[in-house]
Amino acid sequence: MLSEQMKEVLNNQINKEIYSAYLYMSMSAHSTFAGLNGFANWFMVQYQEEMTHAMKIYKYINDQGEKVKLMAITQPPTDFDSPLDMFEKTLKHEKFVTKSINELVDLSIKENDHATNIFLQWFVTEQIEEESNDNEIIAKLKLVGEGGNGLFMIDKELAQRVFTSS
Ligand code: FEO
């Protein structure tokens, strides 16, 4: 059983996760158009991950005998200055998602909602990994600068990423 407030914030979190998917799909589209197929692959895998995050919450609401309420998804930006710009925006967005997850955890503690608290632990751990991945790629991009061989090498590395559902 979920409280009305918990139901509402979990539904909102589905929307945030699908917006995240949409944002990274937009970054993937931009990368493809810029000839950066490795970056395009990385962001498309990220899109898939975000959809699994949304579906985890969708299933959890169902499992608690409640109804999922879907809302409009905001249009994401479609143009980016550079690969570094995309990853800085990714990190900024992930920090926003981390804050949102932390607020959900706070509410679960306040309501003594142990089931939701346990459910959210996976997301807490996932956010650490997501921010860490973004920080690592940002550091590499700063190291190599905006163009040339270094960017080509990073593009090749990001082409290796494969989607694994967890
Ligand atoms: Fe679903 Fe990137 O957090």
Side-chain angles (χ1 to χ4, degrees):
M1 193 194 126
L2 300 173
S3 72
E4 280 304 309
Q5 193 184 353
M6 184 61 82
K7 198 166 61 174
E8 188 183 330
V9 292
L10 285 171
N11 270 302
N12 287 343
Q13 191 64 34
I14 292 179
N15 190 274
K16 288 174 190 168
E17 300 292 347
I18 296 180
Y19 174 79
S20 304
Y22 222 31
L23 174 64
Y24 301 138
M25 191 192 236
S26 184
M27 290 181 179
S28 184
H30 180 85
S31 301
T32 300
F33 192 67
L36 294 165
N37 290 336
F39 283 87
N41 173 65
W42 194 96
F43 282 115
M44 198 54 91
V45 171
Q46 196 58 36
Y47 154 82
Q48 290 173 290
E49 283 206 358
E50 298 300 347
M51 288 306 295
T52 67
H53 299 172
M55 290 312 297
K56 272 182 200 285
I57 304 167
Y58 180 99
K59 183 172 183 309
Y60 180 70
I61 294 173
N62 282 339
D63 287 348
Q64 287 285 7
E66 303 288 355
K67 184 174 167 182
V68 167
K69 193 172 89 186
L70 297 177
M71 290 163 283
I73 310 295
T74 306
Q75 183 184 358
T78 54
D79 289 304
F80 305 92
D81 295 339
S82 64
L84 181 59
D85 179 44
M86 286 193 286
F87 272 97
E88 283 178 335
K89 288 192 166 112
T90 296
L91 179 61
K92 186 171 174 221
H93 181 67
E94 287 306 323
K95 286 183 173 172
F96 162 76
V97 174
T98 299
K99 186 167 175 286
S100 178
I101 295 289
N102 286 341
E103 285 167 4
L104 284 174
V105 174
D106 287 347
L107 181 64
S108 72
I109 291 168
K110 188 174 149 221
E111 292 188 347
N112 289 323
D113 181 347
H114 300 291
T116 303
N117 186 272
I118 291 167
F119 169 71
L120 290 170
Q121 296 311 306
W122 183 90
F123 287 86
V124 172
T125 308
E126 174 69 10
Q127 285 308 120
I128 298 169
E129 191 190 319
E130 295 222 355
E131 288 190 26
S132 164
N133 289 342
D134 299 338
N135 276 318
E136 194 184 314
I137 296 168
I138 286 169
K140 283 183 187 168
L141 285 168
K142 284 185 174 167
L143 206 63
V144 302
E146 283 295 303
N149 285 344
L151 193 62
F152 179 67
M153 295 292 291
I154 296 175
D155 192 61
K156 266 177 83 172
E157 188 185 323
L158 298 186
Q160 305 304 315
R161 188 181 189 196
V162 284
F163 173 67
T164 47
S165 69
S166 55

